[in-house]
Amino acid sequence: MAITDGTELLDPQRYATHGYPHELWTRMRREAPVHWCEPVELVPFWAITKHTHICEISKQPDVFMSGNGIVPATKEVAERLARGERGPFDMMQTIITMDPPKHRAYRKVASPFFTPHAMERIDDVVKASARRLVDRLYDKQRNGEGTFDFVTEVAVQHPLRILCSILGISEADEPTVLRLTQELFAGEDPEFKRSEADRNAAFQALGIEFLQFFGKIIADRRSNPAKDDLAGILAN
């Protein structure tokens, strides 16, 4: 009997109900660190659970490609793509679904903002964000709120503040950025799924929102070129 068909590894409902499958991951690392999965609704895929193997794979983008997607597709979507039918959702690419040399060209634009020297320039922002989050949690504890969701209140909020600072996005717009990115990368999750009934219609609406949101920022940077952030570089 197979250890798993892969469903437990990908189904967000199972994560919500049962949490992370640590016992399954441990067994897979011990018995089948490179495991072939054949879920009922998705196309088959290899599950890689050892750190050394993941590192080895990540260094070979010419062999292990991301351009065709980084999440196993449903069988219905795979059949449609095999027929050459591609909707807006299928054609959308982000930097994490690009392969060299395209990926390298896009990464080159942003990489100067993530060097050690560049990080020193936003050190005050990092410290202020961390201090504010800790103070907020302390206030909750002092007011009798003994528990909190670390993911939503810390693990999401802190990097969001830093990345938005680098991009030049105001703190007031951070909830919009969070919602748009969650709908983009986790659009099939019931928690983040858009209201449009049709998948492609939902993605088209999301794309329009992205263009409108960042279009305003780019327009502002073209009017105020002195601003030193990533949006200013993209505006040129």
Side-chain angles (χ1 to χ4, degrees), residues 111-124 126 166 228:
S111 59
F113 286 84
F114 295 91
T115 63
H117 178 67
M119 290 292 98
E120 289 179 359
R121 296 193 308 179
I122 64 168
D123 193 50
D124 289 342
V126 175
I166 293 172
D228 185 21

Side-chain angles (χ1 to χ4, degrees), residues 213-226:
F213 179 78
F214 284 101
K216 292 179 181 179
I217 296 174
I218 296 300
D220 175 72
R221 292 307 179 275
R222 287 174 177 165
S223 300
N224 303 280

Side-chain angles (χ1 to χ4, degrees), residues 7 10 22 48-49 59 71 73-74 78 84 94 109 119 129 133 145 168 186 204 213 215 227:
T7 302
L10 298 174
H22 289 292
I48 314 297
T49 50
K59 295 175 183 177
V71 177
T74 64
T94 64
V109 175
M119 290 292 98
S129 173
L133 290 172
E145 301 179 44
Q204 286 179 324
F213 179 78
K227 292 187 177 181

Side-chain angles (χ1 to χ4, degrees), residues 12-13 18 29 45 71 75 91 108 111 129 147 149 157 159 163 172 190 201 206 226 229 234:
Q13 292 292 349
H18 304 292
R29 283 191 291 268
F45 65 94
V71 177
K75 292 179 179 178
M91 293 185 284
K108 187 177 181 180
S111 59
S129 173
T147 61
D149 189 328
Q157 298 301 324
L163 289 173
L206 176 61
D229 51 44
L234 296 174

Side-chain angles (χ1 to χ4, degrees), residues 70-71 89 92-97 177-189 192 203 206 210:
I70 59 174
V71 177
F89 192 90
M92 173 67 174
Q93 271 200 318
T94 64
I95 193 169
I96 63 174
T97 58
V177 174
L178 179 60
R179 176 180 61 81
L180 291 175
T181 52
Q182 287 174 331
E183 291 174 352
L184 174 62
F185 293 111
E188 298 300 320
D189 189 321
F192 306 120
F203 190 75
L206 176 61
F210 262 108

Side-chain angles (χ1 to χ4, degrees), residues 46-101:
W46 290 101
I48 314 297
T49 50
K50 276 197 172 181
H51 179 263
T52 53
H53 293 157
I54 294 172
C55 289
E56 183 178 349
I57 287 171
S58 66
K59 295 175 183 177
Q60 302 179 65
D62 55 328
V63 177
F64 301 97
M65 305 177 73
S66 301
N68 291 328
I70 59 174
V71 177
T74 64
K75 292 179 179 178
E76 181 274 328
V77 169
E79 291 171 358
R80 178 164 51 78
L81 293 176
R83 294 193 299 267
E85 302 173 8
R86 296 176 66 86
F89 192 90
D90 306 309
M91 293 185 284
M92 173 67 174
Q93 271 200 318
T94 64
I95 193 169
I96 63 174
T97 58
M98 294 178 185
D99 296 309

